[in-house]
Amino acid sequence: MTAQAHDSHDDHHGLGHVLPVKMLAGVLGALLFLTLVTVITGSTYLYGFDLAIAMVIATTKATLVCAIFMHLRWDKGFHTFAFIGSVLFVGVFLAYTLTDTKQYQGDIRAYSIDETANSAFAAPLQDPIPHAHDGDDHSGEEAVDH
Amino acid sequence: MTTASADAHGHHGDHGHDHPEHLAHHFDTLEQQFDSCKLGMWAFLLTEVLFFSGLFVAYATLRANNPEIFSLAASFLDTKWGAINTVVLLISSFTAAMSVRNAQLGETSKLKANLIITLLCAGAFMGIKYVEYSHKWHAGLLPPGLENSMFNPENPWVPEAAHHDIDYLKLQAEVNVMTPEERVHTMTTLGRFFGVYFFLTGLHGVHVLIGIGVITWVLFRANRGEFGPDNFTAVDLTALYWHLVDLVWIFLFPLLYLIA
């Protein structure tokens, strides 16, 4: 058992690469730290860069998970290539859809203004409904309902 | 165990002589078998990324066209629960990665412990999701098609006074000062936000539930002592799946909870 454990520290023998506990724990620490950072930056006004900063932090976290936890750094390059490829295609999907919908926002707004009268929200929101038993019955049944 | 050592030391030559226990007949070597499994798993993970991307794009287009309404919508989500769930999922990802290490080294009892911690974290995640969902259900923060949704354009749900009405009163204060056109647009878009919210987190939650099932299966196999240096593929691939579930949440958390 000891001999095998020793063997598997070498990249070129055995089936996979065994990651040291210290490295895994370090990645967890970094991920938790970045979560704290994103909660703080997310609740602060960052002059319009909020989304960009949140996405940079999320991408950093994702890279750590992919490279270390998912072993991509020691894995076949093709897996990384294919995974990044899929993310790039998501980017194409996103970019084309965004530019396309931007083009029709005017029409959508015009249509929803035309349809305003058909919506219940043309009128202000009603006040919450007064409790059914208020006024005529104070026997304490209300508490039971809850 | 002896076959494993033999294989680790000379995997190019001796596979024909003593057939390793876990090698399927249609593969030449354990290495080839392992690589094939990994390639298949990564191909599956790519389809998962593309699967989720449809909902992410729906989110992005709605948000890009209505940024201020999305910040209002996010203020109805509880950052505290979102952050706790992020931490829970990150810890479970760590224990999943540790369980791969344990399986590779043949440390069965540690493997079982790490799998159990992963399962507990997954359960905690779903428990917190339940708390969040039930709050939204009672508060009427639901997709507009549902009868008890406050965004239902035909028959909006109105809460009883002092009974699940905190979010409603906040929304009322925001939208009742608007023009009718603006109010209709805002309420419609908020309804869509909660549609996207429930579909994205719901699809993610389904993945967590499937993960719980798969990890339980791996745990049973670990309990039978099946895993070791020459046979840890099931643990490895399950961990890869679990990391993908974590990856999706890493993006969901800031996008849904942190835009207020």
Side-chain angles (χ1 to χ4, degrees):
Chain A
M1 208 41 92
T2 335
Q4 278 166 20
H6 180 76
D7 264 0
S8 40
H9 284 295
D10 190 332
D11 284 354
H12 304 290
H13 294 276
L15 289 179
H17 180 266
V18 182
L19 294 176
V21 178
K22 263 189 193 170
M23 181 182 278
L24 293 175
V27 170
L28 176 64
L31 290 171
L32 293 175
F33 174 72
L34 288 170
T35 304
L36 181 67
V37 172
T38 200
V39 169
I40 293 168
T41 56
S43 51
T44 323
Y45 179 66
L46 296 167
Y47 307 97
F49 288 99
D50 304 55
L51 178 64
I53 290 169
M55 286 301 96
V56 167
I57 295 171
T59 309
T60 311
K61 288 167 73 179
T63 309
L64 278 173
V65 171
C66 287
I68 317 284
F69 281 178
M70 297 173 98
H71 292 241
L72 272 184
R73 192 170 175 277
W74 300 273
D75 210 348
K76 291 208 156 33
F78 182 72
H79 297 160
T80 311
F81 168 77
F83 194 68
I84 290 177
S86 81
V87 175
L88 289 179
F89 275 101
V90 172
V92 172
F93 180 19
L94 181 66
Y96 273 93
T97 315
L98 275 179
T99 46
D100 198 43
T101 60
K102 283 272 180 204
Q103 201 168 356
Y104 298 108
Q105 282 311 298
D107 296 348
I108 293 170
R109 273 318 276 269
Y111 174 78
S112 54
I113 287 169
D114 283 348
E115 289 290 301
T116 297
N118 296 331
S119 169
F121 303 122
L125 298 197
Q126 296 169 33
D127 287 328
I129 302 163
H131 203 286
H133 294 293
D134 276 0
D136 54 12
D137 184 8
H138 294 282
S139 61
E141 270 176 74
E142 300 153 45
V144 182
D145 288 349
H146 300 188
Chain B
M1 283 296 133
T2 41
T3 54
S5 302
D7 200 67
H9 287 294
H11 54 265
H12 289 301
D14 58 1
H15 56 263
H17 304 294
D18 55 339
H19 195 78
E21 190 192 341
H22 303 289
L23 180 59
H25 67 92
H26 50 284
F27 291 112
D28 285 338
T29 59
L30 279 171
E31 200 172 11
Q32 187 198 26
Q33 175 175 268
F34 179 71
D35 288 346
S36 306
C37 291
K38 273 237 168 176
L39 180 63
M41 190 65 198
W42 276 103
F44 169 67
L45 295 185
L46 307 192
T47 67
E48 288 280 276
V49 170
L50 301 174
F51 184 34
F52 274 100
S53 75
L55 284 165
F56 274 104
V57 171
Y59 167 91
T61 52
L62 276 174
R63 177 174 169 180
N65 294 310
N66 311 283
E68 62 306 312
I69 301 177
F70 263 50
S71 334
L72 172 62
S75 70
F76 292 100
L77 304 186
D78 196 333
T79 309
K80 177 191 72 193
W81 286 127
I84 291 173
N85 255 351
T86 308
V87 171
V88 166
L89 218 49
L90 288 176
I91 291 171
S92 75
S93 223
F94 166 73
T95 53
M98 281 296 286
S99 68
V100 175
R101 183 191 144 87
N102 297 145
Q104 285 172 321
L105 298 177
E107 303 168 332
T108 302
S109 52
K110 283 188 190 169
L111 167 63
K112 284 192 278 183
N114 276 316
L115 288 173
I116 288 168
I117 298 170
T118 311
L119 279 176
L120 290 176
C121 288
F125 183 90
M126 291 314 290
I128 290 171
K129 271 267 92 79
Y130 173 78
V131 171
E132 287 191 277
Y133 276 14
S134 65
H135 167 77
K136 282 178 192 63
W137 180 264
H138 292 302
L141 294 163
L142 296 170
L146 292 171
E147 215 174 290
N148 53 336
S149 167
M150 61 166 92
F151 308 111
N152 187 324
E154 274 149 27
N155 186 20
W157 177 81
V158 180
E160 281 186 13
H163 195 72
H164 299 302
D165 65 354
I166 297 164
D167 293 315
Y168 186 86
L169 290 173
K170 180 174 141 187
L171 186 69
Q172 199 189 27
E174 289 274 351
V175 301
N176 277 3
V177 295
M178 295 176 174
T179 63
E181 287 83 11
E182 249 188 297
R183 183 163 51 243
V184 170
H185 181 67
T186 304
M187 291 299 282
T188 311
T189 311
L190 284 174
R192 286 177 189 148
F193 173 88
F194 282 99
V196 170
Y197 167 83
F198 276 100
F199 267 99
L200 262 173
T201 58
L203 185 65
H204 181 264
V206 167
H207 277 77
V208 173
L209 289 177
I210 293 171
I212 290 175
V214 179
I215 296 167
T216 308
W217 168 66
V218 170
L219 180 62
F220 272 107
R221 291 185 61 184
N223 197 38
R224 290 202 298 255
E226 283 189 30
F227 301 119
D230 63 341
N231 183 33
F232 59 87
T233 311
V235 185
D236 199 10
L237 302 192
T238 304
L240 282 180
Y241 171 82
W242 194 250
H243 295 313
L244 186 93
V245 172
D246 188 29
L247 281 181
V248 172
W249 187 257
I250 283 174
F251 284 95
L252 278 186
F253 170 59
L255 286 177
L256 292 176
Y257 291 81
L258 295 178
I259 52 175

